[in-house]
Amino acid sequence: MVDLSAKPYYLNKDQIKYVENTVKNMSVNEKVGQLFFVIGQDEKQVNITEFIKKYKPGGMMYRPDQAEKIKREIATAQTTSKIPMFFAANLESGGNGIVTEGTWFGNPLQMAATDDSHSAYELGNVSGEEAAQVGNNMSFAPIVDIDNNFRNPIMNTRTFGSDKKRVIRMADAQIKGLKDNKIIPVIKHFPGDGVDDRDQHLVSSVNSLSADDWMNSYGEIYHHLIDAGIPSIMIAHIMQPAWERKLEPGIEDKDLRPASSSKLLINGLLRNVLKFNGLAITDATPMIGYNAAMPRKDLLPATINAGIDMILFNKNIDEDYRFIHEAIDNGTLSIKRVDEAVTRILGTKLAQGIMNTNGELTLLPPKEINLHSAEHHKLAEEVAKKSVTLVKDRDQLLPLTPKKYPHVRLVVLGDSDDGGFKEGGHVTQAFKDALEKEGFKVKLFNRKSLDFHEMFEEGVEDMEKKFDLAFYVANVETASNQTTTRLDWIHLMAADSPWFMKSIPTVFVSTANPYHLYDIPNVSTFINAYTGNQASIDAIMRKVTGKEKFEGKNPVDPFCGDFTTRL
């Protein structure tokens, strides 16, 4: 069974006795409910009180919504639940991870570019303070992956970069910021994203490092954070074949599993080798990377048997609950193993101050919501000032002035929803307004109304009559369920590409991906901002117009190891 007197719980005898007695007296239905970390329920679509009474979940994760609404929904669920619940959000880049009015503070890679761990502390502090206002008590962050592969479509700006020591420093600071606001940190994505060039939302991706290389990189990060007492770890749908083969020599390739269903990687590597005694939660189980491993009716019990304690999200909630009950009934999943998982869940809730030994909710939000938005925006401005990075300015085009470049063509890439969902925001109008405010005459390139005469007949001299400077902005966000974050020019003649960049001054700014030089290596001036929030846009404009120095330091290799990008 779980040692609740040890790290990361440190419970006393009375607290341990409470947990043991509670688990002993729970019904099977109540125990199964605790295993599930369900999607946040919308009061407009579901009777939350009835939902909680029926399913008795151990936790719930909300996506961003209006603060008052989120607070009310969480309060309804907490009031109804017999056992206080975890309420989590992706507090990766600010309080906007839980409330729509929250501060978009900045992506983790932006914190890394300041090379100042206080930036990461404020990321945790700001997001934690805003989340606590509505009753959120858990953060699915920090992200402690290493950005090893510039082609990976899901990580880059979501990480603290490619240096494991910086990842540790920044993660430590973000965790402190969260804890100062009584938010439980959940580090992710074990066994480590950022090696494969695929997304675990779409496939069971692979961390292909050797066992030694893994231990000297990701393993060092996890060892440090476990030793420091991290209470919870999110388990990804990512394979680590080298460690599975090390723990079970001769294992066949067909038997290798993503960590989310691998007993070798959880009970073996995470618990026995790295000595993690805390709460293990899967990443979202509707992902293809999870469901591709085996049939879901077998997969859910295998997840708990692997040593994982909570299952994040459902496909069909009634079916998922039934799969666990059937596994208990037929002996595939022992009640002893279920009790162990529930013990960790309750032990974490008690150790992290969510409840007391009377089973009462002890972590309550304030009566009135105060997000301190103005104060937090100023903190975001400080981070932006220190993080925007000049990668190269080969032809010394900077600073930009209306006298040198009166007519500007503005081309914005990746700013369209294209029928999907932009997690961050749009930047087109903000850049157009900012350039015009500086005195530039701006003509926005219209991707939807192409000039075919320009595309097929005009040369450099024709273009020079139209504009003196091409100002490119790429807002191509890293987000789930996409296979690439590469630049995708208009497919007809690459009509929006700067074919003229050797003749007409061209500046390229990226607000969402540090690696675009790979697709536009010959551009003269390249700037990374890492985040497309207003604070970063303002900082970019101050710097390109010479009002402020560039202070950011490259937290990754923006040249992508390619000599052509340095020319």
Side-chain angles (χ1 to χ4, degrees):
M1 290 297 290
V2 184
D3 184 358
L4 293 177
S5 67
K7 189 184 299 180
Y9 308 99
Y10 299 116
L11 298 185
N12 60 39
K13 291 181 180 180
D14 289 339
Q15 291 172 319
I16 294 172
K17 185 176 180 181
Y18 164 76
V19 172
E20 290 174 347
N21 287 340
T22 302
V23 173
K24 182 179 179 180
N25 292 316
M26 291 171 72
S27 68
V28 174
N29 283 342
E30 289 173 326
K31 291 176 181 179
V32 170
Q34 285 295 305
L35 302 179
F36 284 92
F37 212 117
V38 301
I39 189 70
Q41 298 300 301
D42 190 327
E43 63 185 12
K44 295 179 180 179
Q45 301 177 13
V46 174
N47 184 313
I48 295 176
T49 298
E50 291 182 2
F51 180 92
I52 297 298
K53 287 180 178 179
K54 179 178 180 181
Y55 295 108
K56 304 172 177 58
M60 189 176 281
M61 178 194 176
Y62 271 99
R63 300 294 187 183
D65 208 335
Q66 295 178 342
E68 290 287 355
K69 181 171 178 282
I70 289 282
K71 182 179 180 181
R72 188 169 56 248
E73 290 169 334
I74 290 177
T76 300
Q78 287 286 37
T79 301
T80 306
S81 183
K82 181 178 177 182
I83 296 174
M85 296 171 61
F86 294 124
F87 279 92
N90 279 335
L91 303 181
E92 297 177 8
S93 60
N96 64 333
I98 181 64
V99 294
T100 50
E101 307 98 313
T103 304
W104 186 15
F105 192 76
N107 294 326
L109 198 62
Q110 185 176 25
M111 308 304 117
T114 70
D115 202 30
D116 181 356
S117 58
H118 186 70
S119 300
Y121 170 81
E122 290 296 0
L123 171 59
N125 182 46
V126 167
S127 58
E129 184 176 5
E130 293 182 358
Q133 295 291 308
V134 297
N136 190 142
N137 55 36
M138 178 177 272
S139 168
F140 288 159
I143 292 173
V144 298
D145 298 312
I146 303 173
D147 202 32
N148 279 326
N149 189 338
F150 74 88
R151 293 183 176 89
N152 184 291
I154 184 67
M155 298 317 300
N156 65 59
T157 57
R158 297 175 68 213
T159 74
F160 288 122
S162 57
D163 182 348
K164 66 183 179 183
K165 293 181 179 179
R166 184 186 285 116
V167 172
I168 289 172
R169 282 194 293 113
M170 295 287 169
D172 280 343
Q174 187 180 1
I175 287 168
K176 186 177 188 305
L178 291 166
K179 285 186 172 182
D180 282 354
N181 292 278
K182 296 182 171 58
I183 302 293
I184 305 167
V186 181
I187 57 173
K188 61 185 184 184
H189 305 82
F190 182 86
D193 209 337
V195 177
D196 204 334
D197 62 359
R198 296 168 295 180
D199 174 11
Q200 59 153 335
H201 290 77
L202 301 173
V203 299
S204 299
S205 57
V206 181
N207 183 312
S208 56
L209 297 181
S210 70
D212 287 343
D213 286 344
W214 186 91
M215 189 57 78
N216 290 327
S217 53
Y218 293 88
E220 187 172 324
I221 293 169
Y222 279 100
H223 181 269
H224 169 86
L225 293 169
I226 290 167
D227 191 54
I230 194 71
S232 184
I233 296 177
M234 178 174 282
I235 312 302
H237 318 309
I238 298 175
M239 297 181 177
Q240 217 304 314
W243 263 102
E244 284 202 296
R245 292 183 176 118
K246 182 171 183 174
L247 292 169
E248 187 179 316
I251 187 173
E252 295 186 38
D253 287 354
K254 67 180 180 63
D255 295 323
L256 297 173
R257 293 283 180 266
S260 51
S261 55
S262 171
K263 185 174 290 189
L264 291 171
L265 294 179
I266 305 306
N267 277 345
L269 176 58
L270 183 60
R271 299 224 183 266
N272 293 336
V273 176
L274 295 176
K275 307 301 182 185
F276 180 61
N277 186 39
L279 182 70
I281 306 170
T282 70
D283 206 334
T285 61
M287 293 184 190
I288 299 174
Y290 180 72
N291 291 289
M294 62 179 74
R296 194 170 177 94
K297 67 180 179 62
D298 302 320
L299 186 56
L300 293 175
T303 294
I304 304 301
N305 277 329
I308 294 172
D309 307 301
M310 298 190 79
I311 295 164
L312 181 61
F313 298 170
N314 304 95
K315 288 296 287 182
N316 178 297
I317 189 167
D318 293 309
E319 184 179 72
D320 283 354
Y321 271 55
R322 176 165 54 84
F323 288 156
I324 294 294
H325 276 287
E326 288 175 350
I328 293 171
D329 291 342
N330 65 30
T332 302
L333 178 60
S334 71
I335 198 66
K336 180 180 179 181
R337 171 64 196 116
V338 172
D339 285 352
E340 181 182 68
V342 175
T343 297
R344 282 203 180 94
I345 295 165
L346 299 187
T348 302
K349 290 178 177 180
L350 195 58
Q352 296 298 315
I354 290 178
M355 66 182 191
N356 59 26
T357 51
N358 293 320
E360 299 167 334
L361 177 68
T362 55
L363 201 57
L364 297 169
K367 290 183 178 181
E368 300 295 328
I369 295 173
N370 186 348
L371 298 177
H372 298 102
S373 299
E375 176 188 338
H376 292 169
H377 182 71
K378 288 182 180 179
L379 292 171
E381 288 177 335
E382 282 298 310
V383 168
K385 178 179 181 293
K386 295 191 293 184
S387 60
V388 175
T389 308
L390 179 61
V391 176
K392 71 173 182 176
D393 186 24
R394 181 190 63 223
D395 301 330
Q396 298 183 325
L397 302 182
L398 302 180
L400 308 180
T401 66
K403 184 177 180 180
K404 286 197 309 187
Y405 312 112
H407 296 276
V408 175
R409 168 173 282 190
L410 175 61
V411 184
V412 183
L413 310 171
D415 217 24
S416 171
D417 290 328
D418 292 330
F421 172 71
K422 285 191 73 62
E423 295 189 348
H426 298 84
V427 302
T428 300
Q429 195 61 47
F431 272 103
K432 186 174 186 294
D433 291 346
L435 287 164
E436 289 176 339
K437 186 177 180 181
E438 292 293 333
F440 298 98
K441 295 180 180 179
V442 181
K443 179 70 173 178
L444 181 65
F445 182 88
N446 189 344
R447 292 169 59 92
K448 296 182 179 179
S449 180
L450 300 180
D451 184 339
F452 289 94
H453 177 75
E454 176 181 296
M455 289 168 59
F456 293 100
E457 298 181 19
E458 291 187 356
V460 171
E461 292 180 356
D462 297 311
M463 301 297 276
E464 288 175 335
K465 294 175 184 177
K466 291 185 175 183
F467 55 92
D468 308 293
L469 172 80
F471 194 92
Y472 275 75
V473 179
N475 192 35
V476 183
E477 295 178 351
T478 52
S480 60
N481 298 296
Q482 59 185 6
T483 58
T484 183
T485 51
R486 301 279 294 277
L487 294 180
D488 188 19
W489 307 111
I490 291 173
H491 295 179
L492 181 60
M493 295 291 292
D496 53 350
S497 66
W499 61 270
F500 46 74
M501 61 185 160
K502 286 290 188 177
S503 303
I504 301 175
T506 302
V507 172
F508 194 101
V509 176
S510 173
T511 60
N513 187 314
Y515 297 123
H516 287 316
L517 262 179
Y518 188 72
D519 287 324
I520 188 169
N522 300 116
V523 74
S524 167
T525 305
F526 188 93
I527 296 162
N528 272 326
Y530 315 103
T531 303
N533 59 4
Q534 189 61 50
S536 297
I537 294 170
D538 292 342
I540 291 165
M541 291 307 304
R542 292 194 304 271
K543 294 173 191 300
V544 299
T545 55
K547 298 174 183 177
E548 185 175 283
K549 292 182 179 180
F550 287 89
E551 298 181 40
K553 300 175 178 63
N554 290 317
V556 294
D557 173 20
F559 300 101
C560 308
D562 185 340
F563 80 94
T564 66
T565 60
R566 295 181 178 274
L567 299 179

